[in-house]
Amino acid sequence: MTTAAHAPGDAPRPLIELQGIRKSYGGRGGRGGKEEGAGSPATTVLHGISLRLYAGEFVAVVGASGSGKSTLMHILGCLDRPSAGRYLFDDQDVASFDADALAWLRREAFGFVFQGYHLVPSESARENTEIPALYAGMPEAERRARATALLERLDMGARLDHRPHQLSGGQQQRVAIARALMNGGRIILADEPTGALDSKSGAEVMALLHELADAGHTIILITHDRSVAAQARRIIEIRDGRIVADSGEHTGEGAAAIAAAPSPVFSRPSVTGGASLPADIREATRAAWRVMWSNRFRTGLTLLGIVIGVASVIVMLAVGGGSQRKVMAQFETFGTRTMFVSVQLASLRNPSAPLTLDDALAVRALPNVEGVAPYIEDRVVVRRGNIDHLTEGGGATVDFSRVLGWGVSRGVMFDAEDERRIAKVAVIGETVRQRLFADGQDPVGQDILVDKVPFQVVGVLASKGATNGEDQDDRVVVPLSSAATRVYGHPHPTWLAVQVRDIDKAQETAAAIEAQLERQQAGRHVLIWNRVEALRVQTETARAMTLMLGLIAIVSLIVGGIGVMNVMLMTVRERTREIGIRVATGARQRDILRQFMTEAVLVTSVGGTVGVVAGLGIVVGLMLAGVPVLFSLAASVGAFGCAVLTGVIFGFMPARNAARLDPVVALAGE
C-alpha cells in the first residue's frame, strides 16, 4: 500500500475520497430487500456523498439517528459497498477489490471502535486484542507481546486474561481501541465510542483518541453528540443522507507524523499478507475447544450421536467378523475345498451298491477334482495295557493328510510303503492319546490293540477340536489296506473325501460326481455333502449380515452428523456478531469457513475418539462373555475416519453460511 504523504510544495493527496456515493436498500438487488423483480420500493440512505479525508486528520461525522452516519462508516471501513459512486483509497478504486482484498484492506489500514465494544465473549482481553494480528499472520510470540504492550499502555495490564463480562464498559472500550491498533491502526473508525459509557469513561476514551490523533493516526469519529464532535479538528454534519456542513479540509502533516509517532507502541508493525494455515488451524482449534467447553451440556448431547455411531460400527463389525470367523473355523476342520461322498442304503432287502476303490479312481479323473481320499469308518475298541477305549476307527490312503488338511503334531503319518505292505501302523487322535497314555509316556513307538489286532503308533494327529458336537480327535487311523484286511474284513470305503480346485465350480463338480458314480453302478443312491457350496453360502450370508450391521451403524452415524449440523447452524446464529467482528478485523471468508469447519471436525473427532474407546470396551466385554468377536483395526480407523468425514460433510453448510454473512448484518446481530 502506498502512503498519502507528500513533499513540501506538492498538492496533498487525499487518503480517502468519496465521489457521489449513494446507498440504497431494497428494490431491485438492494441488500436487505426482496428478490429482483419483486417490486419492493428502494430506500436511499446516502444521497451522493462526496468527501475527501487526509492522512492524520481527526474528523467527526455528526448527525441525528437515521441520518446515515453508520452507513457511511461501514462504507468507509469497507464493510459495505455503495450502490453507486466511487470510493478511492489512496488513489485505488475500492470497487475493483475482491472479498480477500477488502479483508486485507480492513486488516492493514483500518481499526474499528464500536459503541457496543463488539468483543468476542469467549476470548480474554489479550486474545481479543490479538485477533487482527492473527489474521495478518503475525507470529504468536510477537502477537502476544504487542497485545500485552498495547493493553498495558491503555492501563489494562492487570486485566489481560479477563473476559469481556469481567470488564467494565470503559475497560471493554479500551480493549476495543487496543484491538484497533493491533496492526498499526492507520485509520481509526470510531462509531459512537462514548455512547454506552459514563461521563468519566467517555472522557478517558476521548483523551485516548486525541493521543492517537497526535501520534499521527487518522481518526474518523461517528457521533450524534455535538459536544463530543466539537473535540475533533474537523466536523462534518450529515442530515438525511447528505452532507450539510463541513468545517473544512485540514490536510495537516499526518502522514509524516505516523512515521514519527512519539510512542513506538503505536507504530505500524510488520505483518504478512495473511494468516498461515497451521497457525490459523491451531487458533481455530483453540477457539473451538473453548466454545465446546463453555457449552458442555449441548456439546455432550451432540457428541452422543457420534459416539453411538462410531461404537456401533466397531461392535457390529466385530460381532459380524467373529461370526464369520466361527463359520470358517468349522468348515476348515476338514478343508475349505473338500466335499464328502457316500451312498444311501435303499432298503435292507435291496441295499445300494457300496463304494469301491475303482469309484475313487473314477472320481479322481473328473475335471476340477484335485484329490480323492477314500476312508473306511466304523467304531473300534483300542487298548493299551488294562485301559480300553471305544473310539472311531478309520482306514485311509496316503492322500488322507493332503485332501483333509490333517497333519500330525508328533511322529509321522504312514506312507505308501506302509499301505503296500499292509503294515500294522497307526496314527491316533489327541483324545485317544490322553485316554491311553494318561501316564505321560510318548505314544510314538508304543503298541496298542485295535479290535485285538496289535498296531504300532507312529504319530499323533494334530488336534481338530469338535465339529457339530462331535469330537474329531477321538479316532485312530490306519492304512486302508490294513483296515480292509486286518480290522474290518472288506475294502469298501464308507465315504470319499473329494478336494476341488475351483470352489466356484463346486456345484457342477458335485453333479458330475453323482452322475459318474451312478454310471459306475446303476441304481446306486449317492449322497454328496457339498461343504464347499455350503461354505460359500455361509460366507456370503455372514458377509451380508456384517454389511447390514455396518449399514445400521452408519445410519446412526449419519443421524449424529445431522445433529452436528443442527448444532452448528444454531452456533452460527448465536455467534453472528462474533463473525461480524472477525470480518471487521480482517478475516477473509475462508478464515471464517475454516474456523467453523474446524469446530465441526473437532466435535466429531472428539466424539469419534470417545466412540472408538467405548466400542473397544464393549468388544472386550463381549470377548470376556464368550461371544465370538473379531476386532478389526481397519474398522476402528474407518469408523473414526467416518466420524471426521461426517464433521466435514455436515459442518460445511453451516460454515459456508457463516462465511457468507453480510458483515454489516452480522455486526447488528444478537
Side-chain angles (χ1 to χ4, degrees), residues 221-286:
L221 174 65
I222 309 294
T223 182
H224 70 279
D225 190 336
R226 291 186 177 275
S227 63
V228 172
Q231 301 182 51
R233 298 164 189 167
R234 177 182 175 187
I235 301 174
I236 299 171
E237 184 176 355
I238 187 170
R239 184 184 305 157
D240 297 329
R242 295 179 174 87
I243 293 178
V244 296
D246 187 346
S247 63
E249 299 180 358
H250 298 276
T251 59
E253 293 299 329
I258 291 177
S263 172
V265 172
F266 294 137
S267 63
R268 183 181 178 191
S270 173
V271 294
T272 62
S276 65
L277 180 61
D280 199 2
I281 291 178
R282 183 171 63 252
E283 183 64 22
T285 302
R286 181 197 62 78

Side-chain angles (χ1 to χ4, degrees), residues 400-444:
F400 169 83
S401 179
R402 177 173 59 85
V403 172
L404 294 180
W406 206 339
V408 294
S409 60
R410 66 177 72 180
V412 296
M413 180 68 72
F414 50 79
D415 55 22
E417 178 62 22
D418 292 327
E419 187 173 353
R420 186 190 63 79
R421 61 186 180 86
I422 317 177
K424 294 190 290 184
V425 294
V427 290
I428 60 176
E430 183 63 27
T431 301
V432 175
R433 183 198 67 79
Q434 293 174 5
R435 296 291 179 86
L436 297 186
F437 295 91
D439 54 4
Q441 286 194 29
D442 186 355
V444 177

Side-chain angles (χ1 to χ4, degrees), residues 543-563:
R543 188 179 295 115
M545 287 295 296
T546 302
L547 179 61
M548 183 184 70
L549 293 174
L551 290 176
I552 292 173
I554 290 174
V555 167
S556 64
L557 195 57
I558 292 174
V559 171
I562 294 173

Side-chain angles (χ1 to χ4, degrees), residues 125 148 151-152 154-162 167 171:
T148 301
L151 289 170
E152 288 177 347
L154 299 175
D155 296 326
M156 291 291 294
R159 294 174 174 81
L160 296 176
D161 297 319
H162 284 57
L167 302 174
Q171 290 169 339

